[in-house]
Amino acid sequence: DIQMTQSPSSLPASLGDRVTITCRASQDIGNYLRWFQQKPGKSPRLMIYGATNLAAGVPSRFSGSRSGSDYSLTISSLESEDMADYYCLQSKESPNTFGAGTKLELK
Amino acid sequence: EVQLKESGPGLVQPSQTLSLTCTVSGFSLTDYSVHWVRQPPGKGLEWMGVMWSGGSTAYNSALKSRLSISRDTSKSQVFLKMNSLQTEDTAIYYCTRDSLHWGQGVMVTVSS
């Protein structure tokens, strides 16, 4: 199975900060990488698909990138509504696998 | 409008079998796949398995021996069955289409 190593597990940040969360794939997954945001008590929300494509309705301060087997989610200027848990998911092959998650919180 | 809704028992006894239903609307199960994802309290997301639009399935390796996913296309329903439940299976269970559309989730507690 493909392992997704996500870091950091916790990310304290201030409003207006630029923040980056990273997932490393244990095997080639091409651009089959999705990012999700999840707030307490809510279902996950798709933010990025195909590693770099913004899902409908997602603010432009969110972006996704890839460097080899490393995939990143960047928020260019943190807003209060962005405080949430974030997960990556590889959908290159079954079984799909999630990263362990990153808790983004106010410093 | 695309909608998915999970349903099932809130409480299951240890060693028993969990049966969940994902009822969908706004699309056909023969055109789109439906995945199951779960989340134990305070923990991360775990991909469980998928019912592909063509009718085949794939499963999480760690759950494969206990898990079965099926469907009734005429009723627009996808079913999840998992046997030999333990307390570690306590979680919110979600069904999702495309990762874009999600159900609200159903909380399942495994306890005697």
Side-chain angles (χ1 to χ4, degrees), chain A residues 3-82:
Chain A
Q3 307 302 316
M4 300 301 299
T5 303
Q6 185 170 344
S7 62
S9 57
S10 175
L11 182 52
S14 301
L15 297 181
D17 281 356
R18 180 184 180 88
V19 299
T20 298
I21 300 166
T22 299
C23 276
R24 174 169 291 176
S26 64
Q27 301 174 34
D28 175 49
I29 60 168
N31 285 335
Y32 290 87
L33 192 285
R34 300 171 182 174
W35 288 99
F36 298 88
Q37 176 192 71
Q38 188 182 32
K39 296 183 177 180
K42 299 293 188 182
S43 302
R45 175 191 179 189
L46 180 66
M47 305 299 279
I48 300 284
Y49 65 95
T52 62
N53 301 294
L54 216 59
V58 174
S60 58
R61 62 181 180 276
F62 288 86
S63 63
S65 63
R66 173 191 177 188
S67 176
S69 61
D70 290 339
Y71 299 80
S72 296
L73 173 71
T74 297
I75 307 173
S76 60
S77 180
L78 201 59
E79 297 193 8
S80 58
E81 65 185 37
D82 303 333

Side-chain angles (χ1 to χ4, degrees), chain A residues 1 34 36 38 43-44 46 87 95, chain B residues 39 44 47 61 94 99 102-103:
Chain A
D1 297 357
R34 300 171 182 174
F36 298 88
Q38 188 182 32
S43 302
L46 180 66
Y87 298 90
Chain B
Q39 185 171 38
W47 185 86
S61 301
Y94 298 99
S99 293
W102 291 73

Side-chain angles (χ1 to χ4, degrees), chain B residues 7-18:
Chain B
S7 58
L11 181 65
V12 180
Q13 297 214 338
S15 80
Q16 297 302 300
T17 296
L18 172 65

Side-chain angles (χ1 to χ4, degrees), chain B residues 85-101:
Chain B
L85 251 61
Q86 299 303 319
T87 54
E88 317 74 274
D89 296 311
T90 293
I92 298 172
Y93 288 75
Y94 298 99
C95 56
T96 173
R97 193 204 94 174
D98 305 327
S99 293
L100 182 60
H101 303 281

Side-chain angles (χ1 to χ4, degrees), chain A residues 94 96, chain B residues 33-36 47-52 56-59 69:
Chain A
S94 294
N96 293 179
Chain B
S33 60
V34 171
H35 298 242
W36 287 94
W47 185 86
M48 298 184 71
V50 57
M51 169 61 74
W52 297 110
S56 62
T57 55
Y59 300 108
I69 297 174

